[in-house]
Amino acid sequence: MSATFLGMPGDFPTNAARAVKDSQLRYNLRKATHTIRGKRAAVVDELPDWHELRAAGKAVKDETLRHLDRYLLQLEEAVTAAGGHVHWARDAAEANRIVADLVKATGETEVVKVKSMATQEIGLNEALAAEGITAYETDLAELIVQLGDDFPSHILVPAIHRNRAEIREIFLDKMGDAPPGLTDEPAALAEAARLHLRERFLRSKVAVSGANFMIAETGTLVVLESEGNGRMCLTLPETLISVVGIEKLLPTWRDLEVFLQLLPRSSTGERMNPYTSTWTGSAEGQDFHLVLLDNGRTDVLADEVGRQALRCIRCSACLNVCPVYERTGGHAYGSVYPGPIGAILTPQLRGMSSELDASLPYASSLCGACYEVCPVAIDIPEVLVDLRAKAPHGAAERAGMRVAGWILNDQARLARAQHAAIRLRRLVPKRLPGPLSAWTDTRDLPEIPDESFRDWWEREG
C-alpha cells in the first residue's frame, strides 16, 4: 500500500488524542454520521428479508473468495473477448507503472478520475504527477479534498470532516473559476463544482476509474454513484483505465441483484443509487484497460480469520456507527481505509511492522456495532482480536503476561498474590509507573477489596 498520510505520525492513540481536541471536527462527524445512520436504518427496516439478503451477500462473497483463481481467469477471458485488455499488478508500484505507461501511450498529460479507493490505496495521483501527468478528481467530495490539499477521512464521504463554510473557502481560494459571490448553500457549491468540472469532462481523452463490482461470467464492470460524474468519465474519454482490487469479483450477473439492494441501503441510505453504470470490454470504440490489483490481497486471503475482510463492499456503514470513528475521524487511522474496516484491512495489507499499523487493531471498543450493520456480515471484532494476538508486543508487556500466566496457572500462587495485594493496596498508586502507565492513562485502576472472593466464599460457605 501507499505510505502513511503525511501529517499523521505516530500511532493511533497519538493521532486520536489530537483529533478529539478539535471540537469543529467532532461536530461535523457527529452530525454527518448520525444523519447517514438514521437514513440507513429507515430503508433497511423496509425490507422484511434484510437478514436473508445479508446472508446471501456473505455466501456469494465467500464462494468467490474460495475459487478466486478460477473466477479471475474467467473474468480475464470475458473482458478480452469483449475487446478489453487485462493487466495484472502484484503491488502498488506495478499498478502505477502500468497506468502511467498506458496514459503516456495516448500522448495525453492529464486524466479525469472517478472516485476510487484502490487508486488512493496505491497513491496513483502522486505516481502520475511524478510522470508529468495531472489527475483531476471529479467526485464532489474528492474534488474538495484535492483542492484543499487534504486527505480523505471517510470511505463514502471523503470530505465528511469539512462543513459548508470550509468548503466555500476552499473553492474561493483554490478553484480559480469560482464565482466571487459564492455562498455556502449546497446548491451553489454544487453548481460551482459542476461548472469547474464540465471543461475537464469535455476535453479529457483519458479517464481512470475503479469499480464496485466485476462480473466474472460476462466481463462486466459496475460503478454505483450519486452525482453523474462517474458516467461522464466512463463514457466521454477515448481511453478508460479501471484499477480494481481482485476481491471485487462476483461470479454471475444474477449475483449482482443481491448487492444492488445491499450497497445503496448500507452506504447512502437509499433504495437504489441514482447512477448505476455497467460496461463490458471496449464499448463504442473506446480503448478499455482493466488493471487487476493484488497489493497484499492474496496474503489476506491466506489468513483463515482475516480473509473475511475481503468481503467488504466499501459501504462505510461500520464507520457511521463506530463510537471511536465518530470522535476521532478518519485521518487518525493514517490510511485510505479508516474506521472499523480500516482497522482490520490496513494491518493485513500493509503488515504491522510500523507503530501506526500495529496500533490499529486496538482502535476499537469491541462493542460489535460494526458487525451488526455490515451488509456482508464481516465479524470485525473477531478479526480485531485475532490481529491483537498477532501484533508485536513490547518486552515489558510480554514479561508481564508471562508472570500473570505463571500466577494464574496455580491456585496457591494466585491466593498468595491476592493476599499480598490486599495487604499492600494502600501503596498502589492511581497511576502505575513505567510501561504500565499506558493502562492507567486511559482507565481507572480498580479498587482492591478488603477480602478476596475466594476467602469470602470459604468463610461464608
Side-chain angles (χ1 to χ4, degrees):
M1 288 181 71
S2 59
T4 301
F5 287 166
L6 298 177
M8 288 291 129
D11 55 13
F12 178 84
T14 302
N15 298 336
R18 180 168 54 246
V20 296
K21 295 175 183 176
D22 188 335
S23 59
Q24 184 64 60
L25 172 67
R26 294 182 64 176
Y27 174 81
N28 295 348
L29 289 168
R30 178 177 176 81
K31 182 177 180 181
T33 56
H34 280 241
T35 298
I36 300 171
R37 184 194 308 180
K39 291 175 63 180
R40 175 204 169 272
V43 294
V44 165
D45 287 345
E46 293 175 350
L47 296 182
D49 63 343
W50 176 257
H51 293 294
E52 288 78 9
L53 272 173
R54 187 177 186 237
K58 175 182 181 294
V60 170
K61 279 291 189 175
D62 283 344
E63 158 68 15
T64 307
L65 294 173
R66 269 194 299 271
H67 305 288
L68 188 59
D69 54 345
R70 172 159 57 87
Y71 288 126
L72 283 170
L73 293 176
Q74 183 182 8
L75 174 75
E76 180 184 34
E77 183 178 345
V79 171
T80 303
H85 310 275
V86 178
H87 310 263
W88 300 80
R90 295 181 183 84
D91 53 28
E94 188 170 10
N96 289 332
R97 178 184 56 77
I98 291 169
V99 176
D101 288 346
L102 290 172
V103 177
K104 287 179 181 178
T106 68
E108 297 295 319
T109 58
E110 59 182 48
V111 301
V112 288
K113 286 187 64 197
V114 185
K115 181 179 180 297
S116 163
M117 301 297 296
T119 59
Q120 291 173 0
E121 174 188 325
I122 63 177
L124 179 62
N125 287 10
E126 294 77 12
L128 291 178
E131 298 289 338
I133 301 166
T134 303
Y136 294 104
E137 299 289 352
T138 64
D139 174 84
L140 177 56
E142 291 287 2
L143 175 66
I144 294 165
V145 169
Q146 186 177 47
L147 290 175
D149 295 322
D150 202 352
F151 296 104
S153 63
H154 191 275
I155 289 175
L156 177 69
V157 193
I160 197 172
H161 56 289
R162 299 288 192 183
N163 60 29
R164 297 186 315 187
E166 292 172 318
I167 295 169
R168 172 183 175 274
E169 292 303 316
I170 290 172
F171 279 11
L172 289 173
D173 185 41
K174 298 292 184 66
M175 189 175 278
D177 53 0
L182 181 65
T183 70
D184 64 359
E185 289 299 312
L189 295 172
E191 180 64 14
R194 186 179 298 113
L195 294 174
H196 174 73
L197 290 171
R198 186 165 297 162
E199 181 188 357
R200 307 267 189 234
F201 288 131
L202 294 175
R203 80 177 187 216
S204 294
K205 304 296 184 183
V206 182
V208 175
S209 82
N212 294 100
F213 306 105
M214 302 182 292
I215 311 300
E217 178 183 51
T218 60
T220 303
L221 272 70
V222 185
V223 165
L224 280 66
E225 42 117 5
S226 300
E227 299 169 17
N229 64 296
R231 184 161 297 175
M232 299 280 277
C233 287
L234 297 172
T235 56
L236 289 178
E238 297 171 1
T239 300
L240 174 61
I241 305 167
S242 298
V243 182
V244 189
I246 56 175
E247 81 282 13
K248 293 296 187 72
L249 267 175
L250 299 178
T252 69
W253 183 261
R254 185 174 181 177
D255 295 324
L256 184 63
E257 180 263 343
V258 173
F259 294 91
L260 291 183
Q261 296 182 74
L262 290 173
L263 182 54
R265 284 177 166 83
S266 297
S267 57
T268 55
E270 297 173 295
R271 297 179 184 88
M272 64 182 293
N273 283 82
Y275 295 90
T276 299
S277 300
T278 67
W279 71 100
T280 305
S282 295
E284 299 180 356
Q286 187 182 62
D287 190 19
F288 172 61
H289 297 266
L290 171 60
V291 181
L292 293 171
L293 177 69
D294 185 331
N295 204 34
R297 285 160 174 78
T298 51
D299 293 333
V300 180
L301 186 61
D303 189 302
E304 292 185 2
V305 176
R307 69 175 59 147
Q308 58 186 298
L310 296 178
R311 293 205 296 261
C312 178
I313 58 175
R314 309 293 191 265
C315 69
S316 75
C318 61
L319 280 70
N320 299 327
V321 298
C322 177
V324 176
Y325 175 85
E326 182 184 318
R327 289 157 178 80
T328 66
H331 291 163
Y333 294 82
S335 166
V336 298
Y337 301 113
I341 188 62
I344 66 171
L345 187 58
T346 300
Q348 293 192 87
L349 291 176
R350 290 201 305 215
M352 288 188 280
S353 58
S354 74
E355 187 180 18
L356 172 65
D357 294 333
S359 70
L360 289 178
Y362 298 91
S364 170
S365 65
L366 298 180
C367 68
C370 49
Y371 174 58
E372 293 300 319
V373 300
C374 178
V376 286
I378 301 171
D379 193 340
I380 292 177
E382 178 188 30
V383 183
L384 286 168
V385 172
D386 184 63
L387 288 172
R388 290 180 184 187
K390 296 172 181 175
H393 300 275
E397 184 179 359
R398 293 198 304 272
M401 291 297 104
R402 283 196 295 270
V403 171
W406 180 77
I407 293 173
L408 294 170
N409 275 329
D410 184 87
Q411 181 176 336
R413 286 197 290 264
L414 176 60
R416 288 196 294 271
Q418 288 174 332
H419 292 153
I422 290 170
R423 288 195 298 271
L424 301 173
R425 67 183 184 275
R426 298 184 188 280
L427 302 178
V428 177
K430 293 295 184 182
R431 185 177 187 271
L432 295 176
L436 297 176
S437 64
W439 200 87
T440 51
D441 282 346
T442 55
R443 55 183 68 79
D444 294 329
L445 193 67
E447 293 291 335
I448 300 175
D450 296 334
E451 183 180 30
S452 72
F453 174 79
R454 286 170 178 267
D455 289 344
W456 175 88
W457 181 265
E458 193 172 297
R459 175 170 52 79
E460 295 292 328

